[in-house]
Amino acid sequence: MEICEDTKSLSPTIFEDAKNDREKFWENQAACLHWFSPWDRVLDWNPPYAQWFLSGKLNACYNCVDRHQTTQSRHKAALIWEGERGEKLTLTYEDLYIEVNKFANVLKSLKIQKGDKVAIYLPMICEAIVAMLSCARIGAVHTVVFGGFSHDALKDRIHDSDAKLVITSDGGFRKGKHIFLKESCDRALCECPSVKNVLVIRHTHNTVSMKEGRDHWYHELKEKVSPECPPVLMDAEDELFILYTSGTTGKPKGIVHTTGGYLVGATMTMRWVFDVKSTDVYWCTADIGWITGHSYVVYGPLSNGLTQVIYEGAFDFPEQDRVWQIIEKYKVSIFYTSPTAIRTFMKWGDAWLKKHDLSSLRMLGTVGEAINQEAWNWYYKNVGNNNCPIADTWWQTETGSIMIAPFYGHTPLKPASATQPMPGIEIACVNDVGDFENAGYLAITSPWPSMLRGIHKDPKRYEETYWKKWDGNFYFTGDGAKIDEDGYFWLQGRVDDVINVSGHRLSTSELESALTEYHGIVEAAAIAVNHEIKGQGIVCFVTVRDGHVHDENEETKIKQHIVNKIGALARPEKIIFILELPKTRSGKIMRRLLRDIAEGRILGDTSTLFNHEALEQIKGKYKDENEK
């Protein structure tokens, strides 16, 4: 079936259904997937460990590919890929079925079997999605490493996961330049004894070194295998993937997700949030190296039989209208991107959008961090033409699927609020002792199907990071939030991003939101610096719209704006104008590097930093400000 035939599952009455009987509710949602055999029990909850749909058998790849072969979806486009240089490839669901089967058989020819770990280090090409699905088909556990990561970051993740095979390519493209993935992979593998084989996708046709006996060209092995590979029956609690996310200790955390509950969460939230239709053309701009790419580029859209656009390359290549050009060209109807990208589009200016017809859009989404109100309004007005609802979504690598977002057609929107929890999800603001409040720590108060099952090889860290704060009763998200009179959630950023000025705690998120309301400022990062009187002072780094010129009195005006918005206590010590903030490739601002610069420390780990050149400019600007 293309989509779930149980129309009640898409009705707002499911909120009441979920409240009345959560386990029965999730059982009904799980029935929309294809199961080879049913479960014995919906939930086994032994805090902080959960098991969902116990003894049920299914296969994630089968749900994303095989079950569409008996419907009209078989002949429709599954993936429309466009390369940075304008190359195009379309795979129907039938094509995808054949490609996945062949890829899975290649993996089996390299002795990969159920439970083996496979590292995927690829650009955003169709083979990256095919590789993930092929692992799922044969029961191998994939760990995708973002193609923008360094060889050190790749090495650390291979080590921790004990991967037996790495899938990479001869390279990728970014802003017209070649990205040399195979070379990075070779450097990483000098210290990775667990890896027995490397499978190399030919993409750029760069000349690369191939180690005899270890390295294999995929296109050569593909010619030797059958186009049929039966899916392995997986227990609902069998591992599907490990995905690494940053930790406060500097050591990445391998977040473990299993098959059944994760797929239920990704599939159903895709429908609830985006009101998916068989005619939609969907584009999520996330890379598969992040959880958004897993849940809302691979498993969620494909399990629902959607057509989606995949793009390899930069948003501003060859010009700053590339995104709008793609939306117009493929008549994208659902567009899901990050607040960082939206603020970048704002900075580039409205003229780039006006060159293109964006009337195909009917739905917009945002993901990755809380969006500020100015960016939300710009997105709604300029991209959505005041006519497209915006799904502001809150969730994490650890949650697996969207937790807070508008339910399409049911939840009235409030600019910059993620609104309310999804059906079957129980979330509250909690104080230090575990009491519910209108503001405080954001906590998930009951288990949910797509929740993480642990940290790979580190159960103690899992318990201490996520469950220790309230003795295992609630899941600690690490975010702060407040709830308004309508029960809407307003995310306030990480609780460890707090500045303590004269004993008063100020949220960096609140400061940054106020800064971006000032005319001309597009992005901002607020950090704490040592202050001999206040304990900590505030320094703000800001970027401005293209063409905006700030005069000598601008800093004073901005400081007064902050005072007017928050109070005198929040007056920054310095406002520093920079060209761009240091970010990861997923768009998260690396504030700790700004703190290192401000405190004159040696920079910490920069392996996940995207724009290294920005650091030198920031160092110079900060030094100049201090010498004034």
Side-chain angles (χ1 to χ4, degrees), residues 330-446:
Y330 298 112
K331 293 181 168 48
V332 172
S333 56
I334 305 173
F335 183 57
Y336 192 31
T337 194
S338 69
T340 294
I342 295 164
R343 288 189 290 266
T344 300
F345 301 148
M346 288 173 60
K347 182 178 179 181
W348 291 342
D350 305 349
W352 293 106
L353 289 91
K354 293 175 181 176
K355 294 172 61 178
H356 298 281
D357 178 5
L358 307 183
S359 61
S360 61
L361 289 170
R362 70 173 185 87
M363 178 83 202
L364 302 174
T366 176
V367 59
E369 58 183 306
I371 186 170
N372 56 301
Q373 188 163 330
E374 185 184 8
W376 195 102
N377 288 330
W378 183 90
Y379 195 31
Y380 184 76
K381 175 185 176 182
N382 293 280
V383 181
N385 194 29
N386 294 312
N387 195 42
C388 296
I390 297 175
D392 180 4
T393 63
W394 177 87
W395 58 297
Q396 301 175 319
T397 301
E398 293 87 346
T399 70
S401 61
I402 294 168
M403 304 297 279
I404 305 176
F407 185 96
Y408 186 89
H410 171 75
T411 311
L413 303 180
K414 290 187 180 185
S417 170
T419 70
Q420 298 174 333
M422 290 277 93
I425 301 299
E426 296 181 337
I427 298 181
C429 288
V430 181
N431 64 19
D432 280 310
V433 297
D435 296 329
F436 290 3
E437 304 278 1
N438 289 328
Y441 302 106
L442 190 71
I444 305 174
T445 58
S446 62

Side-chain angles (χ1 to χ4, degrees), residues 94-156:
E94 184 175 28
D95 296 332
L96 186 61
Y97 173 84
I98 295 168
E99 292 298 317
V100 167
N101 276 268
K102 287 186 174 183
F103 206 114
N105 279 328
V106 169
L107 296 179
K108 290 169 70 174
S109 76
L110 296 174
K111 310 303 181 187
I112 298 300
Q113 55 189 352
K114 182 179 179 180
D116 286 342
K117 310 301 191 296
V118 175
I120 299 173
Y121 186 57
L122 288 170
M124 277 297 286
I125 55 178
C126 291
E127 288 88 347
I129 295 171
V130 169
M132 293 171 68
L133 293 168
S134 301
C135 288
R137 190 170 194 82
I138 65 173
V141 179
H142 60 71
T143 179
V144 182
V145 181
F146 172 55
F149 277 172
S150 68
H151 69 277
D152 279 333
L154 175 62
K155 176 191 68 179
D156 291 343

